[in-house]
Amino acid sequence: MIDRSAQPSSFGWQFQIATGISLALNNISRTRSINIEGPLQDVEITFFDGEILYGQAKAYGDTDVEETNNTGWKEKLSSAITGLFEDFLKHKTASEFKYLINYPYPLGKNKGGKTNFHQNDYGDIQGTELTDKQVKIIYDILKDCKDVDITSLSNEELDSEFNHFLQHLSIRTCRFTNFTSDRKFSQLDSLIRDFLNNNNFDVSVKKLRQYWFSKGFENSSQKFSLTRTEFLFAIALVDDVLSKTELFGRRFHAKKSINYMIVSSTLLLQ
C-alpha cells in the first residue's frame, strides 16, 4: 500500500485543515471522523456507513487565488489525480474522491480553461460536468502514468474504470490565500458562521476555528484527527469559561454550558 500523504509546508497544512473542516461541516450528519494527512490521502472523512471521502489538497502558497499564473499546476494535478485514481481502484465503496485546490485553473488555463471553476464558495464541480477537453486532460494523465496499479490495466479496463471514476470524482476550489492576517480564513469563517447560526450556537467563529486548528498545530508530529464527537464538542470549549478545560475533562460551569450541551447533544444524535 502506497502512503500518499506528505509533509506539507505550514501553509499547505493549513489548507488541508481548512478543507477538512469544510467537508466535515458540509457532511456533519454523516461524518464519523476527520483525518488530515491520513494513511492514504491528504484529507479523509469517514462516514457512519463505512464509506470514506478521500481528498487530495493542493495549494499555492505564493500565488493569490485571483491570479492566473499557475506555475507547477501540472505536477500538482498529476500527483493528485494519480493518487485518487489508484485508491479508487482499491476502495470503490468510497463515495467520493475530491481534488481540492485554492487556484482558479486546476486543469491549466490554456487547455483546461476556467469553465465551471468558481472561487466564491465551497462548491463542487462533478467529474461528469467537466468539458470533453477537461476530461481528456485527466484521462491522459492516467494513460501516461507509470504507476504499477494503473499500468496493469488494459486499455479497455482503463476506459471502463476511468468512466466509473468520473462519476465519483469532483473538484473543489477553495478561496484560501497566503496572507499573514485572518483574511485567508474569510471563506472558511463564513462557512463556520453559517453552521453556528443554523444550529443556534452563540460562540465566536474565530475562537472555534482557532481551536480546531490548534489541534493540528499543537504538535508538529501529530496529525490532525478528530472524531465527530470531539469535533462538535469543541463548540462548548471555545467559551471564555470553558477555553482552558480539557476535552472530556474537568467539570463544566453548568449555567454557561447548558445551552451548548443541549444543542451539541442534538447534533451528536443526528
Side-chain angles (χ1 to χ4, degrees):
M1 180 179 294
I2 297 177
D3 186 340
R4 291 287 181 182
S5 64
Q7 294 299 322
S9 65
S10 176
F11 177 73
W13 176 241
Q14 287 183 333
F15 179 68
Q16 289 180 6
I17 294 179
T19 54
I21 292 173
S22 73
L23 290 172
L25 292 178
N26 288 160
N27 299 278
I28 196 63
S29 63
R30 304 172 59 203
T31 295
R32 181 176 182 178
S33 64
I34 304 100
N35 196 332
I36 310 299
E37 282 292 296
L40 295 176
Q41 300 293 347
D42 297 330
V43 179
E44 297 180 14
I45 308 294
T46 302
F47 299 133
F48 285 112
D49 60 7
E51 294 182 342
I52 301 176
L53 189 161
Y54 293 107
Q56 272 280 323
K58 303 294 184 183
Y60 278 99
D62 299 325
T63 304
D64 190 300
V65 294
E66 298 298 334
E67 297 294 334
T68 59
N69 178 20
N70 289 335
T71 303
W73 66 269
K74 189 172 184 180
E75 289 76 13
K76 293 177 183 291
L77 174 65
S78 297
S79 173
I81 293 299
T82 300
L84 290 173
F85 185 69
E86 182 184 30
D87 283 337
F88 167 77
L89 295 176
K90 298 177 180 178
H91 308 280
K92 295 179 183 179
T93 56
S95 62
E96 298 177 67
F97 295 83
K98 290 186 183 295
Y99 180 34
L100 308 158
I101 71 282
N102 74 330
Y103 42 95
Y105 301 104
L107 301 179
K109 183 181 178 182
N110 294 331
K111 295 182 179 180
K114 62 180 180 180
T115 304
N116 291 331
F117 298 108
H118 308 289
Q119 292 291 315
N120 295 328
D121 51 41
Y122 283 87
D124 293 344
I125 302 302
Q126 304 301 316
T128 52
E129 297 177 319
L130 298 174
T131 65
D132 291 342
K133 287 184 178 180
Q134 291 168 343
V135 170
K136 186 176 186 304
I137 289 172
I138 296 176
Y139 178 80
D140 287 345
I141 287 174
L142 298 177
K143 189 174 182 180
D144 296 336
C145 180
K146 306 301 182 183
D147 189 284
V148 174
D149 291 327
I150 299 176
T151 56
S152 63
L153 299 175
S154 66
N155 290 335
E156 292 76 15
E157 290 172 330
L158 177 60
D159 290 345
S160 176
E161 296 289 7
F162 178 73
N163 289 331
H164 192 195
F165 176 58
L166 281 181
Q167 297 175 25
H168 295 264
L169 173 70
S170 62
I171 298 175
R172 170 173 290 198
T173 54
C174 312
R175 187 181 295 276
F176 193 82
T177 49
N178 199 12
F179 295 113
T180 55
S181 68
D182 278 355
R183 179 181 172 186
K184 63 183 169 186
F185 299 111
S186 60
Q187 188 181 26
L188 177 62
D189 285 352
S190 178
L191 181 67
I192 295 174
R193 183 177 297 107
D194 288 343
F195 169 75
L196 293 174
N197 289 340
N198 291 338
N199 290 282
N200 300 311
F201 286 114
D202 183 19
V203 298
S204 166
V205 171
K206 183 176 180 179
K207 286 183 179 180
L208 179 57
R209 184 245 299 159
Q210 288 177 334
Y211 178 86
W212 279 331
F213 271 75
S214 72
K215 300 303 292 183
F217 285 100
E218 64 185 5
N219 185 330
S220 60
S221 64
Q222 178 177 325
K223 297 182 178 182
F224 182 98
S225 180
L226 293 175
T227 65
R228 182 173 185 267
T229 301
E230 293 169 333
F231 182 72
L232 290 176
F233 205 68
I235 297 171
L237 300 181
V238 297
D239 183 84
D240 286 341
V241 174
L242 308 177
S243 60
K244 295 183 179 180
T245 306
E246 294 294 329
L247 196 64
F248 300 119
R250 294 148 58 186
R251 294 176 60 185
F252 294 106
H253 188 293
K255 186 176 180 180
K256 281 283 188 179
S257 62
I258 187 169
N259 289 334
Y260 302 123
M261 297 301 291
I262 290 174
V263 181
S264 60
S265 295
T266 301
L267 279 171
L268 290 170
L269 291 173
Q270 287 180 351

